[in-house]
Amino acid sequence: PALEAVLELANNYCRIATCGQIDNYNSKKLGSGPSNYGMLLMRRVTNTGFICTDHLDEIPEMLELLTPKFKAGKFKSRTDVREGLDNYVQVVNLLFAGENKGKLLLKP
């Protein structure tokens, strides 16, 4: 639904970055995609996928820029804390189902 809305409002020759497909990693069926997939062509969209390992070489620079801001309390984040190592499988599956809210942590 989100991509469909983006494609409807996309400017001609725009660029869209695609990431965050973890909910599909273990799926046994292929996703159907947006119903208005043809808008990629009609809007002449450039769509580029990326994964976090594409930018490993940039981590030192990122840490230098963001660490002071993080320490100053300028970032707000959600943390979803679950307990019990016996719940490990269920907790990890929350990632694939998109059911966690924020950073997911498992406490022993």
Side-chain angles (χ1 to χ4, degrees), residues 7-56:
L7 291 177
E8 280 299 319
L9 300 172
N11 292 324
N12 288 341
Y13 304 101
C14 74
R15 293 175 290 177
I16 297 176
T18 302
C19 65
Q21 298 294 311
I22 193 169
D23 60 329
N24 291 324
Y25 287 175
N26 292 327
S27 179
K28 299 218 187 294
K29 62 178 184 167
L30 295 174
S32 60
S35 62
N36 58 351
Y37 182 78
M39 293 305 291
L40 288 168
L41 173 64
M42 299 307 294
R43 301 276 195 234
R44 289 80 131 192
V45 172
T46 299
N47 184 19
T48 303
F50 70 94
I51 58 175
C52 60
T53 56
D54 292 343
H55 302 280
L56 291 176

Side-chain angles (χ1 to χ4, degrees), residues 3-4 18 36 49 60 67 70 72 78 91 96 100:
L3 181 56
E4 290 178 2
T18 302
N36 58 351
T67 298
F70 184 79
R78 293 184 190 172
V91 172
F96 296 105
N100 61 302

Side-chain angles (χ1 to χ4, degrees), residues 1 4 7 10 13-15 20-21 30-32 35 48 52 57 59 62-63 66 74-75 80-81 83 88 90 97 105:
E4 290 178 2
L7 291 177
Y13 304 101
C14 74
R15 293 175 290 177
Q21 298 294 311
L30 295 174
S32 60
S35 62
T48 303
C52 60
D57 61 316
I59 288 176
M62 179 269 306
L63 290 173
L66 297 182
K74 295 187 177 185
F75 287 103
D80 188 344
V81 180
E83 295 192 16
Y88 173 79
Q90 295 89 339
L105 302 175

Side-chain angles (χ1 to χ4, degrees), residues 81-92:
V81 180
R82 306 296 173 111
E83 295 192 16
L85 291 178
D86 53 322
N87 295 319
Y88 173 79
V89 173
Q90 295 89 339
V91 172
V92 169

